[in-house]
Amino acid sequence: MLFYLYGVWDTPLYLALFGASMAVNYFFGCRIARSRARFRRRKRLFWGVAYNLFWLLLFKYTGFFTENINGILRLMGLSLELPVFAPVLPVGISFYTFQAISYLADVYRKTAEYEPSFVNFAMYISMFPQLIAGPIVTYSSIKKEISRRSHSMRAVEEGLKTFTIGLGLKVLLANRLGGLWNEAGTVGYESISTPFAWLAITAFSLQIYFDFYGYSLMAKGLGRIMGFTIPENFHDPYLSLSMTEFWRRWHMTLGSWFRDYVYIPLGGSRKGKLMTFRNMLAVWALTGFWHGASWNFILWGLLMFALISVEKLGLIRILERVPALGHLYMAFAISVSWVLFAVTDLSQMAVYFTRLFPFLPQSEGMAYFAGDYLKYGRLYGLSLAAGLVFATGLPMKLYRRFKNSPAAAVVLLAVFWGCVYCMKMGMDDPFLYFRF
């Protein structure tokens, strides 16, 4: 709670909201578990989920809906304009809301027993290593460890090593790669060359991976130190041969959440192809909207749906049969999809696509420095090369083989103090997923 208070120091009422979330969800969990009649259980689940979604919608999406309603009113020629409510987003609300909903749903379905101890339940919701950016942990996966954990110096050592690797990926790789992506925005998308546009979006693709993968490893390491087993969240996603496979390897806990609490309850793939695609559309529209209250995220979610649907219709068999084709397809699809994710302004997004694909209609007066990719390639080439190598997973395989050797300890010490130095020098960019 002190950790959370530090994060919301300017808006301490968010701490009260966080505490209320614990109390209300604990109350509904108890009431659902103790209700014998099915309709009462369902009613209490509904109100519990509604409570959680109310605050998420209020803080994260009210401004989006209000701005779009005002836009429609202006198109209709009406002078009426609704006030826009766009407060600072409470830290971690997307993640702790999903954890609370999963708990209520599991208690309702009797796949998990309710937690009779409020302290234990509050600890589950407020577990600080993964509180603000995941991974999303279900109550049933750590119930036993809440009550009884084993501690050892070996576990502390393993946790520190995992934490240090995550810190290194974030500070030494993601932050540096983010500098190249920021350079494109500073220059202006309309003023960059096609090679630089591809270079920059490659940098963003690597930045968002190592930023979030680094955070997930840091959370896993801290959990290990304290005796908790926090689930894996990434498994070499950029080695995937299809977007379907990619989403089995990327942000795995979010994918599992939408599968277990949206896709399967809607019917999954059990009711024919048409209903399967409907359920997939619902999942990907919600996944996009969960990431942010902006049209670019909705478009990104719809693009994911379109690609996975085409793969499901037969493309995936070709991609898996010809791995080289699968890797080329994914190198292109991932880069293009991250443009929709990274550029929130739709007009600027359109400009960026004209730079990626120069055969598209260009705006008049667009001029660029033809050698920009050489200039920035020299500045960031080493970081890009390191990012591509680490994206293959080979360095992690090498580490796992020699992790108990003195050489590994020396390397990790160097990584740790290198990160401390970089942060002292100002390379302390916030995690990208803090905004979600």
Side-chain angles (χ1 to χ4, degrees):
M1 294 295 282
L2 290 172
F3 172 83
Y4 193 83
L5 177 61
Y6 178 79
V8 296
W9 189 257
D10 294 333
T11 48
L13 282 176
Y14 288 175
L15 182 67
L17 175 65
F18 187 44
S21 177
M22 297 178 198
V24 172
N25 282 288
Y26 171 75
F27 168 78
F28 276 111
C30 294
R31 298 291 288 171
I32 291 169
R34 293 168 181 169
S35 300
R36 293 184 178 180
R38 184 177 177 83
F39 80 93
R40 288 187 184 277
R41 293 168 60 84
R42 185 177 297 173
K43 179 180 178 182
R44 285 161 182 170
L45 173 66
F46 170 82
W47 286 112
V49 172
Y51 172 84
N52 287 288
L53 292 180
F54 170 78
W55 293 109
L56 185 63
L57 290 168
L58 177 69
F59 285 103
K60 194 170 183 177
Y61 300 106
T62 303
F64 172 78
F65 287 124
T66 306
E67 288 173 356
N68 280 276
I69 291 171
N70 286 338
I72 293 171
L73 292 175
R74 285 193 293 271
L75 286 174
M76 294 172 62
L78 301 175
S79 58
L80 176 66
E81 186 159 323
L82 302 176
V84 176
F85 175 69
V88 176
L89 192 65
V91 175
I93 190 171
S94 296
F95 290 92
Y96 73 70
T97 295
F98 270 28
Q99 289 199 181
I101 290 174
S102 71
Y103 168 75
L104 297 179
D106 287 348
V107 171
Y108 170 78
R109 297 188 300 197
K110 299 184 179 181
T111 55
E113 294 182 5
Y114 85 102
E115 176 53 69
S117 166
F118 175 72
V119 172
N120 284 353
F121 176 76
M123 194 278 291
Y124 160 66
I125 296 293
S126 63
M127 190 186 299
F128 78 88
Q130 48 76 236
L131 168 63
I132 46 182
I136 299 171
V137 178
T138 59
Y139 172 74
S140 57
S141 67
I142 61 165
K143 175 179 172 58
K144 292 181 180 178
E145 293 174 343
I146 289 176
S147 302
R148 181 179 298 174
R149 296 181 294 284
S150 60
H151 301 277
S152 68
M153 288 306 298
R154 185 61 180 269
V156 172
E157 179 189 1
E158 290 289 330
L160 286 171
K161 286 178 177 178
T162 303
F163 178 88
T164 301
I165 293 169
L167 182 66
L169 292 177
K170 163 59 179 168
V171 176
L172 303 181
L173 267 182
N175 286 358
R176 179 65 177 165
L177 291 162
L180 176 53
W181 171 250
N182 292 335
E183 295 280 11
T186 301
V187 172
Y189 300 149
E190 68 282 351
S191 302
I192 61 176
S193 67
T194 294
F196 184 31
W198 283 103
L199 204 65
I201 198 58
T202 300
F204 179 82
S205 302
L206 294 170
Q207 179 200 7
I208 194 170
Y209 172 44
F210 292 118
D211 190 284
F212 197 19
Y213 182 31
Y215 182 95
S216 297
L217 285 177
M218 292 169 73
K220 187 175 177 64
L222 289 171
R224 181 75 172 133
I225 290 169
M226 295 185 292
F228 292 98
T229 304
I230 292 178
E232 294 285 348
N233 215 20
F234 292 87
H235 181 59
D236 301 330
Y238 286 162
L239 296 183
S240 304
L241 299 176
S242 64
M243 197 60 76
T244 303
E245 182 186 1
F246 177 84
W247 279 100
R248 294 194 192 112
R249 294 168 169 252
W250 176 284
H251 204 346
M252 294 186 290
T253 56
L254 180 68
S256 298
W257 194 96
F258 274 107
R259 179 197 65 208
D260 295 340
Y261 303 106
V262 178
Y263 182 69
I264 291 176
L266 285 174
S269 57
R270 302 187 304 272
K271 298 182 179 181
K273 283 189 176 181
L274 185 61
M275 296 302 286
T276 297
F277 284 110
R278 184 209 67 173
N279 298 339
M280 287 170 54
L281 176 60
V283 165
W284 284 108
L286 289 172
T287 300
F289 205 37
W290 177 85
H291 278 91
S294 178
W295 281 107
N296 70 296
F297 293 113
I298 297 174
L299 292 174
W300 172 80
L302 294 177
L303 175 63
M304 293 297 103
F305 163 72
L307 290 174
I308 293 173
S309 296
V310 171
E311 291 173 6
K312 200 173 185 69
L313 291 172
L315 177 61
I316 193 169
R317 290 193 291 272
I318 299 172
L319 298 174
E320 291 175 347
R321 197 176 301 127
V322 188
L325 180 62
H327 288 305
L328 285 173
Y329 159 76
M330 285 303 293
F332 177 80
I334 288 171
S335 298
V336 170
S337 67
W338 283 136
V339 175
L340 275 68
F341 196 93
V343 185
T344 56
D345 185 277
L346 297 186
S347 61
Q348 286 296 298
M349 184 192 299
V351 171
Y352 202 94
F353 276 116
T354 65
R355 310 318 295 151
L356 285 176
F357 307 106
F359 53 81
L360 294 175
Q362 306 286 317
S363 300
E364 293 184 8
M366 293 179 71
Y368 59 89
F369 172 43
D372 54 3
Y373 68 98
L374 294 173
K375 172 185 174 183
Y376 293 106
R378 283 192 293 268
L379 289 173
Y380 295 94
L382 186 61
S383 298
L384 278 168
L388 291 170
V389 170
F390 272 85
T392 65
L394 290 175
M396 289 299 292
K397 289 178 182 176
L398 189 65
Y399 163 74
R400 283 190 286 268
R401 183 176 179 182
F402 297 102
K403 67 178 182 178
N404 295 320
S405 68
V410 171
V411 170
L412 289 176
L413 279 171
V415 168
F416 179 82
W417 289 110
C419 291
V420 171
Y421 173 78
C422 289
M423 289 188 288
K424 183 179 184 300
M425 299 303 292
M427 292 177 60
D428 55 350
D429 302 353
F431 288 95
L432 291 178
Y433 263 69
F434 279 5
R435 70 183 69 166
F436 307 129

